[in-house]
Amino acid sequence: PEEKMPRDALNRDMEEGVERMEFLRAEQQQAAEQFSDKKQVWINDKDHGFAKASIIKDDGENVLVQNTVTMQEITVKKEDIQQINPPKFEKLEDMANLTYLNEASVLHNLRQRYFSSMIYTYSGIFCVAVNPYARLPIYTKEVINSYRGKRYRHTFILTSNALTLLGNC
């Protein structure tokens, strides 16, 4: 039996979604104001994989950076740093559009989208789904129907198109 979400719960979820989007826009604006394209980099971090850092000094082979979370200054090899994408690419749906397509940027984008309940992300033609192990209000009949007839690479559209093509065999 198909589970229907009560209309008031759906409206509440929609309102929360709008509030979340407004918060994300404000968060992006603040990040853009603080961003410096040439000084912001990713460095290896034993606890989190990668951490954001600011370049303090570049002597050619080595770079003195400051971890933006711990504020610790460390020297790393220049070959071990990775570029950070500008804030306008934060939580990007298709990672093929990232300016810097590196391991740290891909993992950061997936992590940020996951924490925002955006579990489907693309990398070109590939869909990456990060399982939240929780029920999200994205599988309702209303949400599924909102994607019908659209040219958008969402899992519901891909499935609908596949079923349509199978029916034409």
Side-chain angles (χ1 to χ4, degrees), residues 143-154 156-161 164:
V143 171
I144 293 170
N145 288 335
S146 72
Y147 286 98
R148 289 205 198 290
K150 296 197 176 160
R151 293 180 45 98
Y152 181 74
R153 296 177 316 177
H154 188 279
F156 295 142
I157 293 173
L158 297 174
T159 304
S160 176
N161 290 344
T164 300

Side-chain angles (χ1 to χ4, degrees), residues 69-86:
V69 175
T70 65
M71 304 311 281
Q72 178 185 8
E73 291 183 9
I74 56 172
T75 301
V76 295
K77 291 182 180 178
K78 194 169 193 172
E79 65 192 36
D80 290 338
I81 63 173
Q82 298 180 42
Q83 292 296 122
I84 287 183
N85 288 288

Side-chain angles (χ1 to χ4, degrees), residues 40-54 65-70 74 76-85 100-112 115:
Q40 302 290 309
V41 293
W42 293 110
I43 59 171
N44 292 325
D45 181 81
K46 63 180 166 91
D47 296 324
H48 300 101
F50 298 96
K52 287 184 182 182
S54 297
V65 296
Q66 182 178 44
N67 184 315
T68 58
V69 175
T70 65
I74 56 172
V76 295
K77 291 182 180 178
K78 194 169 193 172
E79 65 192 36
D80 290 338
I81 63 173
Q82 298 180 42
Q83 292 296 122
I84 287 183
N85 288 288
Y100 303 112
L101 188 57
N102 53 51
E103 184 180 2
S105 294
V106 167
L107 291 173
H108 172 74
N109 192 59
L110 289 172
R111 181 183 294 133
Q112 294 305 308
F115 287 130

Side-chain angles (χ1 to χ4, degrees), residues 89-119:
F89 294 104
E90 196 73 15
K91 298 179 185 140
L92 195 64
E93 182 180 26
D94 188 344
M95 293 186 294
N97 295 324
L98 289 172
T99 301
Y100 303 112
L101 188 57
N102 53 51
E103 184 180 2
S105 294
V106 167
L107 291 173
H108 172 74
N109 192 59
L110 289 172
R111 181 183 294 133
Q112 294 305 308
R113 289 181 58 81
Y114 172 82
F115 287 130
S116 297
S117 297
M118 300 171 176
I119 63 169

